[in-house]
Amino acid sequence: MYETLVRPVLFNLDAEKAHHVGMAGLKAMPVAMAKAWRSNARAERPSLAMTVAGLSFPNPVGLAAGLDKNAEALVGLFGLGFGFVEVGTVTPRPQSGNPLPRLFRLPEHTALINRLGFNNEGMAAMKARLEALPWRPGPVGVNIGKNKDTPNERAVDDYAACAETVGPLGDYVVVNLSSPNTPNLRALQEPEALFAILSAVRAKLPTRPLFLKVAPDLTDEAVDAAVDVARSTNITGLICTNTTIARPFEHPLAKEAGGLSGRPVFERSTEVLRRAFRRAEGKLPLVGVGGVFDGDDAFAKISAGASLVQLYTGFIYGGPGLPRRILDRLEARLAEAGLARLADAVGRDAG
């Protein structure tokens, strides 16, 4: 129904307007309805349940940061069957993000380009919403960033402020240094700056699971360095990966600035994931994100080293029934592989 009736209507709208329409529906979902939908999606599946960083995930399929930037629609999103939901990216002060238009669909490539620029209502607004959250059937992650007008030499202050204010309200926290849409943000992935920021955030959250989100555009050597710094600063794990600035195809919109997501990023994001898994030597749990559209994509990420997977562009194209379809297929893949638990598939094809 979504692909034949709803998506054509939404895709006739400007991409960001369609986003607001979808979010409005999710925000309006009452807890009772969300619980009924979640039951129908069979979100709690013992063979697919994962324990990562001491947290219990009823299933491994999560929503990536960027869709619910202000923690407004958590009840509705959990109602669709997600095992966990990540909100943000949140910054200390509210900011409007980059000028419109800033979100583009590329249906021929099942992809999106966005240059939203951390548009959000700020950490105080997110804190209030998380404190008032009436229902949390799975972990909630909080993705933190810096304000656009904060110079890189003071970025550590922004990350520490977000960690202190909203970090304790998330089941885990993600340090986002890999968005291509805040000028010079990716420079903070260099080892010296990375060490300073991660150390500051860890000091504010000494016991909270803490993840670093990395870019798919890192060289192999930079992936290794990110893993090494993460381990040296007592970071819990990595999220592999954010959007890419590469354009591996010709398209009228390919010259639009911003991060590319969707099917074209699947291969490289999975390569980064696989390399990080090997480098981490089992010491860092990994979250695979980038081009996940079905259960086979999710199983490929898990086989490459991911303990959990996340959706964003796949959810835009696949609609509200996608989490259940992925979970159904993951159960089938387990049966085909003769495995009792999804945890047994993690890294089996990492090499």
Side-chain angles (χ1 to χ4, degrees):
M1 179 178 175
Y2 174 79
E3 293 184 0
T4 57
L5 296 177
V6 179
R7 190 175 73 185
V9 174
L10 291 175
F11 274 36
N12 274 329
L13 300 175
D14 168 79
E16 193 159 351
K17 288 181 180 177
H19 167 80
H20 293 314
V21 170
M23 284 293 292
L26 289 165
K27 287 188 288 186
M29 189 182 296
V31 172
M33 180 182 292
K35 288 181 176 180
W37 279 38
R38 186 173 181 83
S39 177
N40 182 63
R42 296 181 50 236
E44 281 69 31
R45 305 196 188 197
S47 66
L48 304 183
M50 303 290 281
T51 299
V52 178
L55 300 174
S56 296
F57 293 79
N59 71 63
V61 180
L63 182 72
L67 191 85
D68 189 359
K69 292 178 176 290
N70 298 303
E72 298 175 287
L74 280 162
V75 167
L77 289 165
F78 274 123
L80 301 183
F82 285 109
F84 62 109
V85 177
E86 190 173 309
V87 296
T89 298
V90 65
T91 55
R93 291 171 282 109
Q95 61 181 29
S96 58
N98 292 320
L100 300 174
R102 55 192 183 179
L103 182 61
F104 309 90
R105 303 185 198 92
L106 293 78
E108 302 92 332
H109 300 281
T110 330
L112 298 173
I113 292 174
N114 94 79
R115 52 170 180 265
L116 294 168
F118 289 174
N119 53 310
N120 75 104
E121 297 176 3
M123 63 186 184
M126 179 176 284
K127 179 176 185 289
R129 290 196 179 98
L130 291 175
E131 287 175 335
L133 183 62
W135 181 55
R136 189 187 294 219
V140 174
V142 176
N143 186 300
I144 62 175
K146 81 171 188 73
N147 282 109
K148 181 178 181 179
D149 59 0
T150 298
N152 274 8
E153 56 268 24
R154 290 186 9 230
V156 64
D157 298 330
D158 277 17
Y159 285 95
C162 284
E164 184 173 34
T165 301
V166 295
L169 298 167
D171 295 291
Y172 68 90
V173 173
V174 180
V175 175
N176 187 353
L177 302 172
S178 53
S179 169
N181 300 318
T182 294
N184 300 316
L185 183 73
R186 288 188 169 188
L188 298 174
Q189 294 179 119
E190 295 297 324
E192 183 176 352
L194 179 60
F195 184 87
I197 291 170
L198 294 181
S199 297
V201 172
R202 175 50 83 202
K204 296 292 185 182
L205 299 167
T207 62
R208 189 73 47 180
L210 183 60
F211 287 78
L212 170 67
K213 190 166 188 175
V214 299
D217 306 306
L218 294 177
T219 64
D220 289 345
E221 294 74 19
V223 173
D224 292 346
V227 170
D228 294 346
V229 171
R231 292 180 65 178
S232 69
T233 51
N234 196 29
I235 298 306
T236 307
L238 299 180
I239 296 181
C240 307
T241 64
N242 213 317
T243 57
T244 181
I245 58 173
R247 298 291 187 268
F249 51 75
E250 294 292 331
H251 189 277
L253 295 174
K255 293 182 180 179
E256 293 287 350
L260 173 71
S261 61
R263 289 200 183 279
V265 79
F266 179 84
E267 183 175 347
R268 178 56 189 164
S269 65
T270 306
E271 289 174 358
V272 170
L273 170 69
R274 186 177 290 110
R275 187 174 186 95
F277 180 81
R278 292 197 297 259
R279 184 73 173 189
E281 300 176 323
K283 304 298 184 183
L284 295 174
L286 306 176
V287 181
V289 56
V292 176
F293 283 78
D294 55 38
D296 291 322
D297 295 333
F299 197 74
K301 295 282 189 186
I302 291 163
S303 299
S307 296
L308 304 165
V309 297
Q310 290 180 322
L311 318 176
Y312 182 97
T313 305
F315 180 58
I316 300 302
Y317 281 90
L322 184 59
R324 175 168 184 163
R325 295 196 299 273
I326 290 177
L327 296 176
D328 289 344
R329 182 57 181 155
L330 284 175
E331 284 187 327
R333 290 297 302 265
L334 275 187
E336 292 167 5
L339 300 174
R341 302 178 311 131
L342 191 64
D344 297 330
V346 175
R348 68 201 298 258
D349 297 334

